[in-house]
Amino acid sequence: MPYFIGIDSSTTATKALLIDGTGHVLSVASSEYRYETPKPLWSQQAPDLWWQATVQSLRQVIKESGIAADEIKGIGLTGQMHGLVLLGNQGQVLRPAILWNDQRTQAQCDEIRRRLGKERLVQITGNDALTGFTAPKILWVQEMEPEIYAQVAQILLPKDYVGFKLTGEYAMDRAGGAGTGLFDVRQR
């Protein structure tokens, strides 16, 4: 029988769920972590926390279920959206991830609206510029941390960072892309 794992990397924990081919749950694990609020309205987190918690949760569900790792036929990944993970050219994390609930980017949201116009922005992305989205976070880093921005080779969402660590591949699905404020929803 095939077995599958689901991973949910959220703001405060990474959960793993192991099921069989009929959908019967065999094992569940959760590994918690904290996020930082170094200044008012800021919310950030070290991406390595997600990876360590993923490894811990995966090991736990495999051990508790008694299923051999080579019997697992697929892994599904979900998690917090809109966050900003910046990687350098060797895949190294450049700064703590700016999370979805961070509110430091109001000026950048205003600038995006000024450049595109609110109506055109909504036509392209399906959304107004919101402080929780990824695009204003990118502008914030460009403006406030230019030395970090100059090193950026890859931009990922938090769940996609976990995917990168699992596979070595950079990828983002359309649902995640739609929450960045950068995705043209009509043109795909």
Side-chain angles (χ1 to χ4, degrees):
M1 177 180 294
Y3 299 96
F4 304 93
I5 290 181
I7 300 169
D8 177 15
S9 185
S10 71
T11 310
T12 58
T14 293
K15 284 96 41 200
L17 171 82
L18 194 146
I19 62 172
D20 65 22
T22 68
H24 179 73
V25 176
L26 302 176
S27 183
V28 178
S30 180
S31 302
E32 296 182 357
Y33 37 77
R34 302 175 68 85
Y35 61 91
E36 304 168 348
T37 53
K39 293 184 180 182
L41 304 178
W42 288 28
S43 180
Q44 56 189 39
Q45 202 164 46
D48 194 50
L49 293 173
W50 312 322
W51 177 240
Q52 291 172 14
T54 299
V55 171
Q56 184 176 346
S57 293
L58 287 174
R59 287 182 175 155
Q60 186 176 340
V61 295
I62 291 170
K63 181 180 178 183
E64 288 178 2
S65 69
I67 303 300
D70 63 356
E71 293 183 77
I72 298 166
K73 301 302 178 195
I75 296 176
L77 184 60
T78 189
Q80 55 175 304
M81 293 177 60
H82 314 311
L84 175 65
V85 180
L86 300 175
L87 303 180
N89 61 9
Q90 301 296 312
Q92 75 278 18
V93 174
L94 297 175
R95 69 168 326 283
I98 302 175
L99 301 184
W100 63 272
N101 56 349
D102 188 282
Q103 299 295 303
R104 72 181 84 177
T105 62
Q106 187 59 56
Q108 289 74 26
C109 290
D110 295 342
E111 178 63 16
I112 291 169
R113 280 187 216 100
R114 188 192 68 70
R115 288 183 191 183
L116 290 175
K118 183 177 176 180
E119 283 185 35
R120 185 159 192 282
L121 176 63
V122 172
Q123 286 175 347
I124 295 169
T125 68
N127 292 292
D128 190 6
L130 302 174
T131 55
F133 287 175
T134 311
K137 293 173 175 66
I138 295 168
L139 287 179
W140 185 91
V141 172
Q142 183 183 36
E143 294 170 13
M144 306 305 286
E145 298 176 346
E147 69 287 351
I148 298 293
Y149 185 80
Q151 299 175 60
V152 174
Q154 298 291 332
I155 295 172
L156 295 173
L157 300 177
K159 70 176 180 57
D160 301 322
Y161 176 74
V162 173
F164 164 66
K165 294 293 283 185
L166 284 168
T167 67
E169 300 289 327
Y170 299 111
M172 181 183 299
D173 59 42
R174 288 180 180 167
T180 63
L182 300 167
F183 186 73
D184 185 329
V185 293
R186 290 188 181 159
Q187 300 290 324
R188 297 275 187 238

